Each structure stands twice: as structure tokens, then as C-alpha cells.
Amino acid sequence: MDLWIALIVYVVQGIIFGVAVNTVIENKGYHENWFWEGFFFGIIALIVAVSKPPKPYEPMRESPLLKKSYERQGVSSNNWKCVFCNSINANNVTTCSCGKSKEDSQQKIKEAREKKDIKNVVQKEAYIIKIIAQYKKLLDAGAITQEEFDRKKQSLLHK
Ligand SMILES: [Zn+2]
């Protein structure tokens, strides 16, 4: 009977230490499970857990997509790039050493992107016109009918 009591005490004590050690380690920012260390090593594990330095803050890992979008803007999670002088500035720096602000820089990147979008549209348009002109040549040469030309033209223009 005494053996059973001793075993129950051992298990209860183990659980208490396990939970305590795990709580201490989680409060220090570690995403680790120390329950069994606490269960088996009791007070020793608790001392080890308490004396462990808190885990240094780690920013959450960003999704690759978000990171890519930041890279396009010349900005990583911790810094931003000044487009005027190409300096990399920490996020808490709002004005670059060249005198331009973070907002100025981001605005310029935005404008550049819009300009590029317009350029892409113009290029696509020019490409379609070129193709239509080639079909017109085929039509004039009698290789395709007016109807075929019209159909092709419609489909190209509404792509
Ligand atoms: Zn700058």
C-alpha cells in the first residue's frame, strides 16, 4: 500500500513540476515542451528553466509573397530603401540622410510602378495593332476573307 502512495505522490509531484517548468519556459518565449523534463527532474529542471535567459524577440517569419512585395518596393521587414540616394534606412528612421522622407521615397516607387503599368498597356496595344496590320496584309492579298479578318480583329482587340 505504501508503494502505491509513494507512486501517486511521485506522479502528482511530477505533473506539478512538469506544468511549472513548462509554464516558466513558455513565459520566457520558448516554444518548447519541457513537461517531461519537469516531470522527471523536478526541482533541477525548474532551476534550469528559471535560470534560462528569455528568448530574444524574433519577428514572425513573413510569407514569401509578402516578402517579395516588400522587395519590389525596396523595403524589407526591418528597413526601407531611399530611392533618391539608394541608402538603406531602418524602419524607425523617417527621414533619410539625404533629406528625403520615407513617404517621399514610397510615393516615388508608387509613381514608378504606375508609369510602368501604363507602359505595359501601351506596349500591348502596339503589339495588337502590329498583328492586325499583318492580318490586313493577308486580307489585301486575298489569303483570308473580310469576315475572317473582322473576326480576328475583334478577338484581338478584346483580349
Ligand atoms: Zn536618401
Side-chain angles (χ1 to χ4, degrees):
M1 206 57 198
D2 278 355
L3 189 71
W4 280 109
I5 292 167
L7 189 66
I8 289 165
V9 168
Y10 176 76
V11 169
V12 169
Q13 205 175 286
I15 291 170
I16 290 168
F17 272 108
V19 170
V21 170
N22 210 25
T23 306
V24 168
I25 220 73
E26 272 179 4
N27 285 344
K28 293 203 175 199
Y30 294 92
H31 300 287
E32 292 164 24
N33 192 341
W34 276 48
F35 177 83
W36 292 110
E37 278 85 347
F39 188 94
F40 288 114
F41 302 110
I43 190 81
I44 297 166
L46 191 60
I47 290 165
V48 172
V50 167
S51 58
K52 227 171 142 70
K55 196 175 182 177
Y57 173 71
E58 247 174 47
M60 281 241 283
R61 263 180 206 282
E62 281 161 6
S63 74
L65 253 178
L66 192 65
K67 214 176 149 201
K68 228 179 198 164
S69 129
Y70 273 135
E71 275 167 9
R72 261 207 311 272
Q73 295 166 41
V75 183
S76 85
S77 52
N78 303 315
N79 58 46
W80 59 280
K81 189 178 169 190
C82 170
V83 289
F84 301 98
C85 69
N86 286 331
S87 298
I88 302 290
N89 298 298
N91 261 344
N92 55 1
V93 176
T94 52
T95 306
C96 180
S97 54
C98 72
K100 295 285 186 183
S101 76
K102 191 175 174 179
E103 267 114 81
D104 285 345
S105 187
Q106 284 167 345
Q107 183 61 31
K108 196 157 182 212
I109 292 166
K110 205 178 138 207
E111 279 165 15
R113 205 181 303 142
E114 280 162 3
K115 222 178 255 173
K116 203 179 154 205
D117 286 345
I118 293 169
K119 205 178 145 201
N120 283 345
V121 169
V122 169
Q123 273 177 351
K124 196 185 161 200
E125 207 93 320
Y127 177 70
I128 289 169
I129 289 167
K130 215 169 129 189
I131 292 178
I132 293 173
Q134 278 168 349
Y135 275 105
K136 181 73 169 70
K137 270 186 204 159
L138 289 176
L139 174 69
D140 292 343
I144 56 170
T145 66
Q146 182 69 45
E147 199 197 323
E148 282 169 326
F149 173 77
D150 288 343
R151 213 185 305 136
K152 199 75 209 176
K153 193 174 118 189
Q154 282 302 314
S155 82
L156 279 166
L157 286 174
H158 297 104
K159 232 173 206 170

